[in-house]
Amino acid sequence: MDMHSFINFFLLPGIVQGSIYALGAIGITLVFAIMRYGHFAHGDLATFGAFIALAFTTVLGLSPYAALPLAVLATGVFAVALDRLFYAHLRAMPKIITTIASFGVALMLRSFVQVVWGVNTTSYTRGITRPENWFGIRVKSHEIVTLLVAIALVVALHLFLTRNKWGKAMRAMSDNPELALFSGVDNGKVIALTWIIAGGLCAASGFFLGLNTELKSLMGWNILLPTFAAAILGGVGRIEGAIVGGLIVGIAEELSVLVIPGEYKVMSAFGILLLVLLFRPTGLFRGKVL
Amino acid sequence: MTALLTMKNLRGGYGDSDILFDLSIEVAKGEIVAIVGPNGAGKSTAMKSIFGLLDIRAGSIAIGETDITGWAPNRIVKAGICYVPQVKNIFSEMTVHENFEMGAFLRKGDYSAALDRVYNLFPDLRTKQKATAGRLSGGQRQMVAMGRALMLDPQVLLLDEPTAGLSPKYMEQIFQISRDVRDSGVAILLVEQHAKQALAFADRGYVLAAGRNRHEGPASELLADRHIAEMFLGG
Ligand SMILES: Nc1ncnc2c1ncn2[C@@H]1O[C@H](COP(=O)(O)OP(=O)(O)OP(=O)(O)O)[C@@H](O)[C@H]1O
Ligand SMILES: [Mg+2]
């Protein structure tokens, strides 16, 4: 295999898919860092975000890219509402209860999407986008946008967490929750902030999944396993880990086609998850143990 | 003497079991009060009770005239009480500077004066501002912990075993800094494992056993009492 086809058929699609996983995995990692449970409704929340963006394009007649920021915002607020409604009153109980509750929320979200938008596949735009050809590297415009927006979101999040007072409060809450309380941090606000960010990033991941493939009610559920694998591979609670983990899982999935049939791509995420849990449960960046 | 922090006839514990049975402690502005007593006597629990970390079933806690029993931690911090726990008392993944910024979380506006004061109290940390707090030596971590708590200019400072595991040099340094802080008008309540040294440097003391006051008084008197020395201070 020559260099160009490696990049065009494996590396590039892997990076695009990996960025989508990374956006979801950052949310999973943040929710765990602050609230200490695995959020299994994350995939279906991504589906919800993707379809909210679709609604903005059909109802308001916006272009998909104009619908994205609105969907990010709406899903962020929606995630806060979900937390208030379904998770907030479970806070003092063992975390496994909230994890199971999040499975219930996942089912509700999926049913909601199916009732409102049906079960058929659809897409943001009709027709086929032709790839641009740059020195033999073939890349589609929406792939470039996916990468650029993912990078911009990650940089913005990094700046927020390292420069902003509330961003630092989030890190403090993840680092030492009791001491954050003793410093006067209101954990209710930190939790709301966490959901806005996790929900917004989740919508972005769903949107880009829809843009690069298609929209369907099971789209988010189908990426839940690779997204979790990415978060755990990177080290739960580690944002840089979620990004690296996402890229590794995305690229590994594309490369797996060389040895296993394409339909079993998702097996590679499963394999990575299994290996990490067995041999390095803290992940690459020494995260918290689930 | 009018007390700034008053814990009166406290009874309470974790869940169903009581740890404190009838505990009363007072600290006035500008004094250092030491709580000493055997392991498991409930010394840390007494401090945690102030921050609402246990179920209080009887008694009350007040700052000045204000009853703060059962308040949420961020309200208690706003009322002017800062707390350095016995363990996990720093943000170990954040830098020294960020630890102090978190200490100033409730401050509005510019806090460079408070920051400067803390670095003056702990000059060793000036060159470590960007260092990850968890990687510092034990003594320096303890300084970060105290520095964080001082960023709000508290009226009352609670220190739970600030010298545990420290070398005599650091221990003397922490005691000296505590005196400086006291002399600036802060009420300090501290728990100490090194009972003799603590009573030698505190103004007043309480000897706690099994969740109750056993003895209290001026620290020098407690230290001179042969009975107390035999029972609680290791001869
Ligand atoms: N979070 C907790 N939940 C339940 N019981 C606890 C908790 N923390 C402490 N205890 C119990 O409360 C009692 C008093 O503990 P505490 O930590 O207050 O003692 P201490 O006087 O500070 O001891 P030390 O000198 O070892 O620090 C002990 O029997 C301890 O086992
Ligand atoms: Mg203790």
Side-chain angles (χ1 to χ4, degrees):
Chain A
M1 182 169 52
D2 67 280
M3 192 63 189
H4 279 149
S5 38
F6 174 73
I7 295 178
N8 290 334
F9 299 120
F10 299 100
L11 190 60
L12 210 62
I15 292 176
V16 171
Q17 192 68 18
S19 319
I20 292 167
Y21 295 155
L23 290 174
I26 292 172
I28 285 173
T29 250
L30 276 178
V31 169
F32 190 87
I34 303 293
M35 284 156 274
R36 301 288 198 272
Y37 57 81
H39 185 236
F40 284 98
H42 224 72
D44 292 286
L45 189 60
T47 311
F48 177 85
F51 277 90
I52 288 293
L54 182 70
F56 281 123
T57 63
T58 52
V59 177
L60 299 180
L62 296 175
S63 78
Y65 294 136
L68 171 63
L70 293 178
V72 165
L73 200 68
T75 311
V77 173
F78 181 72
V80 176
L82 280 182
D83 174 65
R84 290 280 149 86
L85 219 58
F86 297 112
Y87 306 142
H89 62 284
L90 303 174
R91 216 86 83 197
M93 298 196 202
K95 298 301 177 194
I96 184 71
I97 295 180
T98 317
T99 298
I100 292 167
S102 77
F103 263 111
V105 169
L107 294 173
M108 282 192 284
L109 286 175
R110 192 181 320 160
S111 308
F112 177 80
V113 167
Q114 288 172 343
V115 167
V116 176
W117 288 282
V119 293
N120 295 327
T121 59
T122 167
S123 62
Y124 292 119
T125 48
R126 312 225 172 281
I128 303 166
T129 341
R130 280 178 183 284
E132 315 268 347
N133 193 326
W134 287 339
F135 310 106
I137 312 255
R138 289 147 57 86
V139 52
K140 294 180 183 137
S141 65
H142 56 73
E143 291 175 332
I144 297 178
V145 175
T146 303
L147 293 180
L148 290 182
V149 173
I151 292 169
L153 287 172
V154 166
V155 170
L157 178 64
H158 176 78
L159 290 177
F160 176 72
L161 290 173
T162 52
R163 306 281 165 86
N164 181 278
K165 177 174 170 168
W166 281 98
K168 287 178 197 172
M170 272 179 73
R171 282 167 54 218
M173 195 60 106
S174 152
D175 187 332
N176 189 338
E178 286 204 331
L179 198 64
L181 292 179
F182 302 151
S183 305
V185 176
D186 177 345
N187 62 342
K189 284 187 187 155
V190 169
I191 288 172
L193 193 59
T194 305
W195 279 114
I196 294 228
I197 296 172
L201 292 176
C202 198
S205 94
F207 172 84
F208 286 119
L209 184 64
L211 194 67
N212 285 282
T213 58
E214 57 199 3
L215 287 122
K216 55 173 191 270
S217 59
L218 282 176
M219 63 192 279
W221 175 250
N222 289 339
I223 63 162
L224 188 66
L225 177 64
T227 308
F228 257 93
I232 293 169
L233 170 62
V236 182
R238 299 280 175 206
I239 291 175
E240 65 278 33
I243 298 162
V244 172
L247 292 175
I248 293 179
V249 172
I251 294 169
E253 277 191 354
E254 295 304 322
L255 286 177
S256 73
V257 189
L258 295 172
V259 282
I260 52 177
E263 310 87 86
Y264 295 110
K265 253 190 201 175
V266 73
M267 287 291 290
S268 45
F270 184 71
I272 289 175
L273 189 56
L274 210 62
L275 290 176
V276 176
L277 289 178
L278 284 176
F279 296 109
R280 198 179 160 90
T282 55
L284 297 174
F285 288 77
R286 310 194 98 264
K288 307 174 198 299
V289 181
L290 280 174
Chain B
M1 183 197 76
T2 53
L4 184 54
L5 176 71
T6 316
M7 304 162 72
K8 208 170 1 184
N9 305 112
L10 280 184
R11 186 163 65 81
Y14 308 94
D16 286 336
S17 64
D18 282 350
I19 307 287
L20 306 178
F21 293 95
D22 183 14
L23 183 78
S24 299
I25 291 176
E26 287 185 355
V27 195
K29 186 169 152 51
E31 73 167 348
I32 296 176
V33 171
I35 306 179
V36 300
N39 284 101
K43 304 183 299 294
S44 296
T45 305
M47 282 201 167
K48 290 185 202 162
S49 71
I50 300 172
F51 267 84
L53 296 182
L54 70 164
D55 301 316
I56 296 176
R57 280 176 271 272
S60 65
I61 303 164
I63 180 158
E65 300 290 304
T66 317
D67 189 318
I68 59 167
T69 320
W71 280 21
N74 64 331
R75 276 184 80 197
I76 291 177
V77 181
K78 275 184 198 152
I81 304 180
C82 287
Y83 172 37
V84 181
Q86 179 173 355
V87 291
K88 294 205 282 182
N89 52 17
I90 57 168
F91 297 109
S92 54
E93 290 165 14
M94 300 175 84
T95 66
V96 170
H97 189 76
E98 285 173 333
N99 268 269
F100 294 160
E101 285 182 312
M102 285 314 298
F105 186 78
L106 287 175
R107 287 188 91 109
K108 304 230 170 1
D110 181 53
Y111 51 82
S112 52
L115 202 55
D116 215 46
R117 211 184 40 146
V118 165
Y119 282 125
N120 285 340
L121 281 174
F122 307 104
D124 292 8
L125 297 179
R126 234 181 235 287
T127 54
K128 307 258 180 197
Q129 296 184 27
K130 292 258 158 60
T132 305
R135 301 237 176 86
L136 299 176
S137 74
Q140 287 171 335
R141 286 204 301 268
Q142 196 60 42
M143 293 181 173
V144 172
M146 278 181 74
R148 182 204 59 81
L150 287 170
M151 283 300 294
L152 276 183
D153 293 326
Q155 298 188 63
V156 179
L157 182 63
L158 309 175
L159 301 173
D160 195 346
E161 302 210 14
T163 67
L166 298 191
S167 67
K169 173 185 146 251
Y170 270 128
M171 191 164 134
E172 193 40 55
Q173 206 175 340
I174 296 273
F175 282 167
Q176 185 52 49
I177 289 164
S178 304
R179 282 189 207 104
D180 294 346
V181 171
R182 170 197 62 191
D183 294 339
S184 71
V186 177
I188 298 182
L189 178 63
L190 91 165
V191 166
E192 262 300 336
Q193 222 17 260
H194 307 284
K196 275 184 182 167
Q197 287 93 328
L199 289 176
F201 117 101
D203 301 307
R204 286 194 308 116
Y206 290 84
V207 180
L208 230 73
R212 291 183 175 84
N213 295 48
R214 289 295 287 274
H215 302 277
E216 58 185 89
S220 52
E221 283 177 21
L222 294 177
L223 207 51
D225 188 316
R226 277 197 36 223
H227 171 69
I228 294 176
E230 268 169 33
M231 292 287 291
F232 299 107
L233 309 181

